[in-house]
Amino acid sequence: MNIKEASEKTGVSSAAIRYYEKESLIPPIDRTAVGNRDIDDRIIRRITFVTQMRAAGMSIENLRRYIELFDAQEDNTKEQKSLLQEQLSVMEEKRDDLQAAIDHLNYKLNHFYDHMETTEEELRELERQHADKVAQKTTEDSDESNNAY
Amino acid sequence: MNIKEASEKTGVSSAAIRYYEKESLIPPIDRTAVGNRDIDDRIIRRITFVTQMRAAGMSIENLRRYIELFDAQEDNTKEQKSLLQEQLSVMEEKRDDLQAAIDHLNYKLNHFYDHMETTEEELRELERQHADKVAQKTTEDSDESNNAY
DNA sequence: TTAAACCTTCATGTGTACTTCAAGGCAAGC
DNA sequence: GCTTGCCTTGAAGTACACATGAAGGTTTAA
């Protein structure tokens, strides 16, 4: 598959794919006889992984370091696991922050005033609701949002 | 409160606060007799809101348009609501993408091989797990992660 | 009264993550 | 044989979101 097809398949621009290869976010790509990139499914999966991590807010630099460790020949399973664990924590915190922002907007939508400033009382109620939510994790699917999770 | 205190209170740099004011992400800030910014809790809340939306991935430009509509004198409650709804959808999708990436990493962590490439079979299993998760929303708190929500 | 520690505006610099441009090569169809 | 459409590398340009620097003002403390 040439770079254009790979671009269409992944939604990542050709230039970005070249850039990712140069930055070692994906492995060196095989070339055809005339020097064109010949992209296989392994590369496609790596591009998809990079896209996912980028969307999760990981910088190119961190992602490069990250991948470097995983691609190394040495068996550094321990470090790899703790690195994964670390990244997972970051992403979970990010997800929770995002959820808090979603709750905030949902609150605004449900208690709609004529301006968007959140008052002290509203903030206190939000905090209360948040505490409730964390406390009684049993009572899921309360009423407000169409949560997918 | 002066800009430095506001900066410490919000975790946003003084330069960024000035920038936000210039870009109308926060309302015009009152000045003291000598021309220094005098920041009150209303501004602090707005800065916090901006921070939250920025962390949720909203660009300065979109945030500006967004806030503009809310601050307008006219009663455009309908448009405001649909704008909120729209932004909520974007954020929920982002959260779900993030969750998918978290699931992916969790999977890697639990089925640890000597490299990080996800195979076709693994991807298929991930998809299957995801389908399960969506299907039986009742069986919450499965086993894998320390979800806050 | 002079230094420290704040502040102001305006202009310019910076890092990230690409995008775009320039110059050229290969293969197919007219 | 020439245009079209793909590709290559390398260099330079761009957008965003601030950070930093210059030049100057005010207040407090020694």
Side-chain angles (χ1 to χ4, degrees):
Chain A
M1 162 181 5
N2 67 21
I3 199 168
K4 205 195 179 202
E5 291 166 319
S7 166
E8 281 157 6
K9 202 162 186 178
T10 58
V12 176
S13 76
S14 300
I17 293 174
R18 293 197 192 96
Y19 174 71
Y20 288 164
E21 187 190 14
K22 202 165 142 209
E23 294 298 316
S24 305
L25 299 188
I26 54 182
I29 302 173
D30 290 343
R31 308 301 157 117
T32 64
V34 298
N36 290 6
R37 285 174 183 78
D38 186 17
I39 298 174
D40 60 18
D41 279 359
R42 176 167 148 268
I43 302 293
I44 294 288
R45 284 194 296 275
R46 289 291 288 259
I47 293 170
T48 303
F49 179 74
V50 168
T51 305
Q52 217 170 38
M53 291 302 131
R54 293 282 304 119
M58 204 178 197
S59 72
I60 297 288
E61 174 65 8
N62 279 341
L63 196 45
R64 199 186 48 67
R65 277 201 276 258
Y66 193 79
I67 285 171
E68 219 165 56
L69 185 57
F70 276 84
D71 281 349
Q73 282 306 63
E74 314 93 61
D75 179 27
N76 26 33
T77 308
K78 244 183 194 155
E79 294 97 276
Q80 287 176 1
K81 279 209 173 195
S82 70
L83 190 58
L84 262 176
Q85 221 19 295
E86 211 176 282
Q87 179 58 18
L88 260 171
S89 301
V90 170
M91 286 162 67
E92 281 168 355
E93 194 182 329
K94 207 152 199 158
R95 177 201 55 194
D96 294 346
D97 286 351
L98 191 48
Q99 185 62 51
I102 289 173
D103 289 346
H104 195 153
L105 281 199
N106 258 318
Y107 184 91
K108 280 185 187 303
L109 196 56
N110 293 334
H111 305 71
F112 208 87
Y113 301 117
D114 60 334
H115 55 70
M116 73 177 320
E117 279 154 38
T118 310
T119 64
E120 296 287 358
E121 307 85 62
E122 287 175 306
L123 280 175
R124 257 182 267 119
E125 180 157 350
L126 259 172
E127 267 173 46
R128 196 176 53 66
Q129 287 182 355
H130 183 79
D132 284 2
K133 212 166 178 182
V134 171
Q136 16 159 309
K137 282 186 59 182
T138 38
T139 328
E140 215 73 25
D141 280 31
S142 38
D143 65 297
E144 52 213 341
S145 65
N146 45 342
N147 271 325
Y149 287 94
Chain B
M1 164 182 2
N2 67 22
I3 200 168
K4 204 194 181 203
E5 291 166 320
S7 166
E8 281 158 6
K9 202 163 187 177
T10 58
V12 175
S13 76
S14 300
I17 293 174
R18 292 196 193 97
Y19 174 71
Y20 288 164
E21 187 190 13
K22 202 165 141 209
E23 295 297 316
S24 304
L25 299 189
I26 54 181
I29 301 172
D30 290 342
R31 309 299 159 116
T32 64
V34 298
N36 290 5
R37 284 173 184 78
D38 186 17
I39 297 174
D40 60 18
D41 278 359
R42 175 168 149 267
I43 302 292
I44 294 288
R45 284 194 298 274
R46 289 290 287 258
I47 294 171
T48 304
F49 179 74
V50 168
T51 305
Q52 218 170 38
M53 292 301 129
R54 294 282 303 119
M58 202 176 197
S59 72
I60 296 289
E61 173 64 8
N62 278 341
L63 195 45
R64 201 187 46 67
R65 278 202 275 259
Y66 193 81
I67 284 171
E68 219 164 55
L69 185 57
F70 275 83
D71 281 348
Q73 283 305 64
E74 316 92 59
D75 180 27
N76 25 31
T77 308
K78 245 182 194 155
E79 294 97 277
Q80 288 176 359
K81 279 208 172 194
S82 69
L83 191 58
L84 263 176
Q85 218 26 291
E86 211 176 284
Q87 178 58 18
L88 261 171
S89 301
V90 171
M91 286 163 68
E92 281 167 356
E93 195 182 328
K94 206 152 201 161
R95 176 202 55 195
D96 293 346
D97 287 350
L98 191 48
Q99 185 62 52
I102 289 172
D103 289 345
H104 195 153
L105 281 199
N106 259 318
Y107 184 90
K108 281 185 186 304
L109 196 55
N110 292 334
H111 304 71
F112 207 86
Y113 301 118
D114 61 334
H115 55 70
M116 73 176 321
E117 278 153 39
T118 310
T119 64
E120 296 286 358
E121 306 85 62
E122 287 175 307
L123 280 175
R124 257 182 268 117
E125 178 158 352
L126 259 172
E127 266 173 47
R128 197 176 51 65
Q129 286 184 357
H130 184 78
D132 285 0
K133 211 166 179 181
V134 171
Q136 14 160 309
K137 283 184 60 184
T138 39
T139 327
E140 216 73 28
D141 281 32
S142 39
D143 65 296
E144 53 214 339
S145 65
N146 45 342
N147 271 322
Y149 286 94

